[in-house]
Each structure stands twice: as structure tokens, then as C-alpha cells.
């Protein structure tokens, strides 16, 4: 079955991968930095539900997906099957890659398969891409500000 993908370019974050991972997994604070998914409830266990509120353009949608990957501090993924598997399956991945001790890269992908995949991509692909980019930029700003504050707190005071 043909796969369609919405992917963002990697965003470089000037903060350690562990700190950024902490931001990604502290779901209670998503509304502080994530305009695309301001609410997420999950325990990140494989097979557990992920209850999301997602902004698709002007509309806010409620979705319940299933956690399918959790590899600290590198990958979080969830999936949703709409109807039968041949109709539509979506798999969202958020990936962190360490660049060095104080920097990492982050990107999103949403892979769509099934009969309805090209239609969903045509109708919602722009909203998804924009939302993923907004989430990446929000994560970058939030994590870098946290890292900067943490560095200032740990600096020796004279």
C-alpha cells in the first residue's frame, strides 16, 4: 500500500537532548509551548491511549491514538486507525537526535497509508505541516529558554 508522509525539516535546538526530552514528556505543560497540540494525556506505555487536542487550522480536534513507540530520549510515536486498516492509518513520530552535549535536532513525521490517505493529505496536509512546524518552533523556544535559565542558576555567583 502506498505511503504518504508529512515531514518537517529538522530544527536545531541549543539545549541538551535530555532536557528537550523532558519537555516532550512533561505533558501537563504542553499548553505552555505547543500551539499544535496544547493538550496531551498519556502515560507513554506501548499500547496505552494518547488523548490529544490538536489544532487543525481554525478548528480544535479531539483524537485518541495509541502509543506505539517510546525510546528515551529519542522517539515518541502514536498511531490511529480510522475504520479498517485499508481505509486509513496514521503514525505520528517525534524524533530527537543529539548533535553534541548541548545541542540536538528535532523533527516530526506523520505517515499516512490506506485508501483515504491521499485525500487526507490533500485536505489537511498544509494544516499538519504548519502545526508540526509550530510545535517544533515552540519546543525550540521553550527548551532553549529553560536551558538558558538553568545555566544562569548554576553559574557561580560573585
Amino acid at each position: 500500500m502506498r505511503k504518504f508522509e508529512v515531514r518537517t525539516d529538522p530544527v536545531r535546538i541549543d539545549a541538551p537532548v535530555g532536557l528537550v526530552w523532558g519537555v516532550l514528556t512533561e505533558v501537563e505543560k504542553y499548553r505552555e509551548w505547543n500551539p499544535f497540540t496544547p493538550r496531551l494525556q498519556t502515560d507513554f506505555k506501548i499500547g496505552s491511549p494518547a488523548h490529544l487536542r490538536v489544532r487543525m487550522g481554525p478548528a480544535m480536534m479531539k483524537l485518541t491514538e495509541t502509543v506505539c513507540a517510546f525510546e528515551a530520549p529519542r522517539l515518541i510515536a502514536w498511531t490511529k486507525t480510522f475504520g479498517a486498516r485499508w481505509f486509513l492509518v496514521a503514525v505520528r513520530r517525534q524524533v530527537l537526535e543529539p548533535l553534541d552535549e548541548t545541542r540536538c535536532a528535532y523533527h516530526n513525521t506523520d505517515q499516512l497509508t490506506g485508501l483515504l490517505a491521499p485525500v487526507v493529505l490533500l485536505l489537511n496536509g498544509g494544516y499538519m505541516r504548519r502545526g508540526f512546524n509550530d510545535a517544533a518552533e515552540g519546543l525550540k523556544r521553550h527548551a532553549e529558554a529553560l536551558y538558558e535559565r538553568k545555566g544562569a542558576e548554576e553559574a557561580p555567583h560573585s
Side-chain angles (χ1 to χ4, degrees), residues 17-61:
V17 71
L19 183 142
V20 179
W21 181 258
V23 172
L24 271 179
T25 56
E26 192 172 19
V27 297
E28 303 82 22
K29 295 190 176 184
Y30 264 41
R31 71 184 167 281
E32 294 178 13
W33 63 268
N34 192 335
F36 181 61
T37 310
R39 184 173 299 159
L40 169 63
Q41 293 176 294
T42 188
D43 61 9
F44 292 114
K45 292 185 174 122
I46 304 299
S48 289
H51 303 285
L52 305 116
R53 292 200 31 105
V54 177
R55 184 174 308 284
M56 292 296 273
M60 190 64 81
M61 297 174 52

Side-chain angles (χ1 to χ4, degrees), residues 73-129:
R74 188 185 158 297
L75 171 68
I76 298 172
W78 42 73
T79 186
K80 179 153 183 79
T81 301
F82 298 84
R85 291 192 66 78
W86 57 267
F87 191 62
L88 180 64
V89 176
V91 180
R92 165 105 185 267
R93 291 178 179 87
Q94 297 181 81
V95 179
L96 282 173
E97 298 173 29
L99 299 174
D100 59 33
E101 288 186 16
T102 61
R103 295 179 306 138
C104 61
Y106 168 82
H107 72 271
N108 284 276
T109 61
D110 204 342
Q111 189 175 78
L112 306 168
T113 56
L115 186 63
L116 204 56
V119 175
V120 170
L121 188 62
L122 179 66
L123 296 176
N124 295 316
Y127 291 137
M128 293 164 67
R129 193 170 290 107

